[in-house]
Amino acid sequence: MSEIDIHRRGLMLVLSSPSGAGKTTLSRRLLESDGEITMSVSATTRKPRPGEQDGKDYHFLTTEDFGVMRNKGEFLEHAKVFDNYYGTPKGPVEEALSAGRDVMFDIDWQGTQQLEESASNDLVKVFILPPSGHELEKRLNTRAQDPPDVVAGRMAKASDEISHYAEYDYIIVNDDVEKALKELTAILVAERVRRERRVGLRTFVQQLQQAL
Ligand code: 5GP
């Protein structure tokens, strides 16, 4: 391990994709392999799916409680997606970033646009594409947690979500999860050493120059 520790501000890694492109698997794998990034836990008014835990996968809220948080300005961004409300609580994100920890977000294009307006310097935007329409449909069906009408709705929405790909910095085509994970890791490693994020650089360089 290197002794050199140049303080940096954390970054916000946004992952967007149509449902079924493999974003959940990818983000889970990245969390397992990287100790410096945490997942932002969104609030939602959608009902929990089997196996989902309150406070871990989402903060599951009533529409009323969601509205109270929104009116108090407690969300960094919020949007309506598939008839439900979703939002990113502000507090934990701001805390992590100033402590130099990175935060990953699984949010849609609407939320990404809002973050772009309020936090563009901290933002790294990654869009995940499925390898084909057929594969996307297959993944949505085998996931089997949603009823068929919901799957059909998500297929219809996929094209809409995909139409926003050009608003993102990086595009990963997820036909092989190991390859996709490698690409995502490479993005993270490179973005971490960006000059603008390394707020301790000035002091480090001054010390370096003094020693010359
Ligand atoms: P799901 O209900 O399948 O977990 O998520 C549905 C969609 O909502 C996904 O595209 C996901 O990225 C998006 N989403 C989840 N949390 C948030 C959030 O906090 N804000 C926004 N804007 N979108 C979210």
Side-chain angles (χ1 to χ4, degrees):
M1 262 287 274
S2 161
E3 301 254 314
I4 300 166
D5 181 20
I6 300 169
H7 185 63
R8 71 174 176 92
R9 187 169 161 76
L11 57 80
M12 298 163 78
L13 181 70
V14 170
L15 298 186
S16 297
S17 74
S19 294
K23 187 175 43 175
T24 309
T25 307
L26 254 184
S27 56
R28 205 180 46 229
R29 289 287 305 274
L30 187 67
L31 288 172
E32 283 165 10
S33 65
D34 189 294
E36 284 177 63
I37 196 159
T38 54
M39 192 79 197
S40 163
V41 180
S42 295
T44 183
T45 59
R46 136 163 115 58
K47 299 276 167 286
R49 295 197 187 109
E52 281 185 333
Q53 289 174 30
D54 187 36
K56 184 167 172 277
D57 298 290
Y58 280 105
H59 300 289
F60 293 101
L61 301 183
T62 61
T63 308
E64 195 190 352
D65 287 345
F66 190 95
V68 169
M69 275 186 81
R70 186 182 50 208
N71 294 342
K72 284 196 196 156
E74 290 179 6
F75 290 129
L76 263 184
E77 60 73 37
H78 56 86
K80 193 175 184 190
V81 189
F82 309 121
D83 303 328
N84 289 299
Y85 294 99
Y86 294 82
T88 302
K90 220 182 242 180
V93 176
E94 289 177 348
E95 220 171 275
L97 294 187
S98 42
R101 289 194 311 271
D102 305 314
V103 185
M104 180 159 44
F105 300 80
D106 171 346
I107 61 175
D108 80 330
W109 63 269
Q110 304 173 78
T112 309
Q113 283 187 353
Q114 291 173 47
L115 292 185
E116 180 73 47
E117 278 166 29
S118 59
S120 66
N121 292 342
D122 294 327
L123 214 55
V124 178
K125 297 170 292 178
V126 180
F127 199 89
I128 318 233
L129 286 173
S132 67
H134 177 70
E135 182 63 27
L136 186 71
E137 189 169 13
K138 207 172 91 188
R139 288 179 192 173
L140 282 176
N141 277 317
T142 50
R143 195 158 71 171
Q145 287 185 339
D146 290 318
D149 59 322
V150 173
V151 171
R154 288 182 179 219
M155 277 302 281
K157 285 262 180 178
S159 165
D160 187 36
E161 181 80 24
I162 286 172
S163 71
H164 291 274
Y165 80 94
E167 294 158 28
Y168 287 74
D169 305 311
Y170 299 95
I171 310 295
I172 294 177
V173 179
N174 186 16
D175 55 347
D176 170 39
V177 73
E178 299 305 328
K179 181 168 161 278
L181 183 65
K182 251 189 206 162
E183 289 176 352
L184 189 58
T185 305
I187 292 165
L188 192 54
V189 169
E191 287 285 345
R192 280 176 174 157
V193 292
R194 277 188 89 98
R195 177 172 45 75
E196 314 86 85
R197 300 191 206 293
R198 309 185 85 186
V199 288
L201 208 48
R202 200 182 150 93
T203 312
F204 177 76
V205 171
Q206 274 168 358
Q207 284 167 354
L208 202 58
Q209 286 174 323
Q210 276 161 17
L212 299 178

